[in-house]
Amino acid sequence: MGITPFKKTNNRAVLGFLLPFVAMGSACGVVLWNRAYGLPFPVWLPILVLVPVLLAWGLFFSITSIPRIEDLGDKDYAYSGLVLNLFLVLLLFSSILYYLVRIHPGT
């Protein structure tokens, strides 16, 4: 009865899974902070800069973790992070497109 060593974790897969939650949490935090206290900069600035950067990093880590599934495991984190990142990127771009076309058509 030996002690089995811990298997290494696919850190890229876990990080690719968690970064979309960080991106959406930061967007919600910025909007809520703006409503409560106001911001010294426009509210759209972190939403159009910080959120896409975090989603791009999450997408990068999810894609680069797929070849490491055989060695390190964490297949669920890798593929669910990839799907979650792609869904949120499409949601962000469709929201920006909706804002530009429907809300401000003439300006």
Side-chain angles (χ1 to χ4, degrees):
M1 253 211 260
I3 298 174
T4 58
F6 289 110
K7 188 176 181 181
K8 287 188 177 183
T9 306
N10 193 346
N11 293 331
R12 290 178 182 255
V14 174
L15 191 59
F17 177 74
L18 291 178
L19 275 175
F21 294 108
V22 173
M24 292 301 108
S26 63
C28 292
V30 165
V31 169
L32 290 174
W33 189 270
N34 183 41
R35 287 187 178 214
Y37 304 110
L39 292 172
F41 48 83
V43 72
W44 56 264
L45 187 64
I47 292 175
L48 291 180
V49 174
L50 181 66
V51 172
V53 167
L54 288 172
L55 289 176
W57 274 106
L59 194 60
F60 171 75
F61 284 129
S62 294
I63 290 171
T64 57
S65 70
I66 291 174
R68 298 177 177 208
I69 290 174
E70 293 296 324
D71 299 332
L72 301 175
D74 294 326
K75 178 180 176 180
D76 296 336
Y77 282 116
Y79 289 121
S80 61
L82 181 64
V83 169
L84 188 61
N85 277 299
L86 288 175
F87 172 73
L88 290 177
V89 165
L90 289 174
L91 182 68
L92 179 70
F93 286 137
S94 64
S95 298
I96 292 170
L97 185 65
Y98 177 78
Y99 177 78
L100 291 175
V101 172
R102 298 293 259 159
I103 296 179
H104 290 294
T107 58

